[in-house]
Amino acid sequence: MGFLKGSLGIKRYFIENPGIFSGGREKIVERLLRYQFRSIENAAVEEAVGWVSPFRSYDPEVTVVDTFLDSNVFLAMRIDRKVVSRLLLDSKVHQLLDSGAVAPKGKQELKQLKEDMHRELLIKALTEPRIIEGVIDLTHSTLYLNTGSHKVSGLFLSLFEKTFDILPVHIDPTVFAYLTLKEEAKTQTLSNVEESCFYDI
């Protein structure tokens, strides 16, 4: 897990209503299990998103032991994607047409043939899994998300909102300064600071 070992690319979010996490550890895990990851292997599905164990990404069975460390909640979202090559799809369709195995009448039947072939290839396609990590610091009502991708962040936050009925707010440097200093006057002073350059003579 990147938060314990490896590289990080952190985005910070503020949880405005942390009371949702006060119902006990078992309740939090119950919420995660409602949206646990479900495999799309051997299925005609292009993408699957859900929670898995933070320390065993192959295991969708999230447990209290794996999820909590002191006042921190460890989260792991798994994204599995399947892709069917356009070249492969066209090749398979043309192969059927050239062999005379099928003879679609009109554009609609040809379209249906391509859709059926896409589905067949999708079932056989291998999944490409990816794990996105997050940590909730309950003491400071903060979510730390380990990704630099805007799209992936959106997926994580969408699943987070469905799971906990709250949407964390992204904390940019200005907001972080305000939350840290907690005084508007100090924040204003900080905003007036100018860049300095020191030379080693």
Side-chain angles (χ1 to χ4, degrees):
M1 186 173 192
F3 282 98
L4 300 178
K5 181 180 180 182
S7 60
L8 293 173
I10 296 296
K11 286 186 177 183
R12 184 188 287 111
Y13 297 84
F14 180 64
I15 299 174
E16 295 180 296
N17 181 22
I20 191 71
F21 301 105
S22 61
R25 298 185 171 189
E26 287 77 12
K27 291 291 183 183
I28 293 174
V29 171
E30 282 179 18
R31 284 179 172 267
L32 293 171
L33 289 173
R34 289 177 199 167
Y35 296 96
Q36 70 184 36
F37 176 81
R38 288 175 172 79
S39 174
I40 56 173
E41 191 174 352
N42 300 320
V45 180
E46 293 182 328
E47 183 178 84
V49 179
W51 302 116
V52 293
S53 167
F55 300 100
R56 295 184 304 279
S57 59
Y58 58 85
D59 189 356
E61 190 64 32
V62 183
T63 64
V64 172
V65 174
D66 286 344
T67 306
F68 288 87
L69 181 61
D70 298 327
S71 61
N72 300 307
V73 181
F74 284 76
L75 303 174
M77 178 184 77
R78 177 169 169 174
I79 307 170
D80 271 24
R81 288 195 176 101
K82 288 183 177 182
V83 177
V84 173
S85 163
R86 180 62 181 271
L87 178 60
L88 176 61
L89 176 59
D90 288 344
S91 296
K92 290 289 186 180
V93 170
H94 286 303
Q95 184 180 355
L96 287 175
L97 294 173
D98 292 343
S99 67
V102 294
K105 299 175 182 178
K107 293 182 178 179
Q108 191 59 40
E109 288 190 11
L110 180 59
K111 180 182 177 182
Q112 186 61 52
L113 173 62
K114 289 181 178 179
E115 290 177 356
D116 292 343
M117 180 56 69
H118 181 269
R119 185 175 186 278
E120 182 181 327
L121 292 174
L122 198 59
I123 292 173
K124 298 176 181 178
L126 295 176
T127 58
E128 183 179 334
R130 185 176 180 185
I131 302 297
I132 308 302
E133 302 168 337
V135 170
I136 305 171
D137 181 349
L138 296 176
T139 304
H140 299 96
S141 304
T142 303
L143 166 67
Y144 298 96
L145 185 55
N146 185 11
T147 180
S149 166
H150 180 71
K151 182 179 180 180
V152 172
S153 298
L155 276 175
F156 191 99
L157 293 175
S158 177
L159 183 60
F160 190 99
E161 184 179 21
K162 285 195 297 185
T163 304
F164 299 111
D165 300 318
I166 50 174
L167 182 62
V169 180
H170 182 247
I171 304 177
D172 61 26
T174 303
V175 175
F176 178 69
Y178 181 78
L179 291 172
T180 303
L181 297 173
K182 297 182 179 179
E183 289 184 30
E184 189 172 345
K186 290 183 178 179
T187 307
Q188 186 60 44
T189 301
L190 184 62
S191 67
N192 294 330
V193 172
E194 295 183 0
E195 182 180 355
S196 297
C197 185
F198 298 93
Y199 296 94
D200 185 9
I201 301 176

